[in-house]
Amino acid sequence: MGQKVNPTSFRMGSFFNWKSRWYADKDYADTVLEDYKLREYLQQKLGTAGLVSVEIERSLTLIKVILNVSRPGVVIGKGGANLEEIKKQIERILNVSKEKKDKVKIDLRVEEVSQPDLSAKLVAERISGQLIKRFPHRRAVSQAMERVMQAGAKGVKISLSGRVGGAEIGRTERYSQGSVPTQKLRANIDYFHEPSLTRSGYVGIKVWIYRGEMV
């Protein structure tokens, strides 16, 4: 089972917590749409800041947004100007369909990711950018795996699918170092998939990083 499903979803609730934490009765669909629009905006706005994840916690009058980034200085900006701009835009996204009495306050927090090379999202995005620039795919993957293992990972697995290297027929290439026990529930595995629009077409990139066992 662990070989066929998203490793994060497989461990959700038991060892991993949800990225959105709230309860909604009648407005469930609208709340999910707000979360989607918010994540989409932050991904576009903070692409250069190394955005790893966005956590959203909601209460009746407060919404807490936690940004996990590898370069917090880019998010904060000079004198906190960039952070205030992001906060105002978030308020516009979340309060666009609410009346004045129902408007909520935003608590925006920025947390630094100490080891960006152990983030599957950042590794996949780096490989995607290299493939778009026509960097040799085997060299890009080998460099990425080397950096991940040097950062302290127990194992890493990378899969490329599509017209890899501009091939006429699509194929799948898999590379790995160390061990990645996807069926072991206690295994702390970070996973991310990223499409890369190369000159020949889309190449799908999947990255698994095994960080060790969870207690």
Side-chain angles (χ1 to χ4, degrees), residues 12-172:
M12 192 65 70
S14 301
F15 295 99
F16 292 162
N17 204 354
W18 285 263
K19 301 296 183 185
S20 293
R21 298 182 284 274
W22 44 264
Y23 173 80
D25 190 6
K26 297 179 181 179
D27 302 327
Y28 179 81
D30 293 334
T31 310
V32 170
L33 183 60
E34 282 182 358
D35 279 12
Y36 172 78
K37 289 180 178 178
L38 176 59
R39 293 179 192 279
E40 196 175 47
Y41 162 73
L42 290 172
Q43 182 60 43
Q44 293 174 354
K45 180 73 175 177
L46 303 177
T48 57
L51 181 65
V52 174
S53 65
V54 179
E55 299 179 31
I56 302 172
E57 296 180 3
R58 292 174 180 261
S59 63
L60 292 175
T61 58
L62 179 69
I63 297 180
K64 185 190 296 182
V65 181
I66 304 170
L67 306 177
N68 296 293
V69 296
S70 60
R71 293 187 289 275
V74 178
V75 181
I76 297 170
K78 191 174 182 179
N82 197 29
L83 192 64
E84 285 300 317
E85 181 189 340
I86 294 171
K87 189 173 181 180
K88 288 178 182 178
Q89 184 61 32
I90 291 174
E91 288 177 347
R92 279 195 288 268
I93 293 172
L94 298 180
N95 289 319
V96 68
S97 61
K98 292 181 171 61
E99 298 178 3
K100 190 172 182 179
K101 61 179 181 180
D102 296 328
K103 290 188 183 296
V104 294
K105 293 182 180 179
I106 309 298
D107 180 14
L108 184 60
R109 301 185 183 183
V110 181
E111 295 184 0
E112 183 179 5
V113 176
S114 58
Q115 293 180 308
D117 286 325
L118 292 181
S119 168
K121 181 176 184 294
L122 297 183
V123 172
E125 288 176 349
R126 188 186 305 124
I127 295 174
S128 174
Q130 289 176 321
L131 295 184
I132 291 172
K133 296 175 183 176
R134 305 181 69 183
F135 197 77
H137 66 279
R138 287 191 180 89
R139 191 185 302 172
V141 170
S142 64
Q143 287 179 358
M145 290 195 300
E146 187 177 343
R147 293 179 67 170
V148 170
M149 297 301 289
Q150 286 178 352
K154 302 288 186 180
V156 56
K157 182 168 67 173
I158 298 175
S159 171
L160 304 180
S161 298
R163 295 185 61 184
V164 183
E168 290 293 326
I169 299 174
R171 64 179 187 270
T172 299

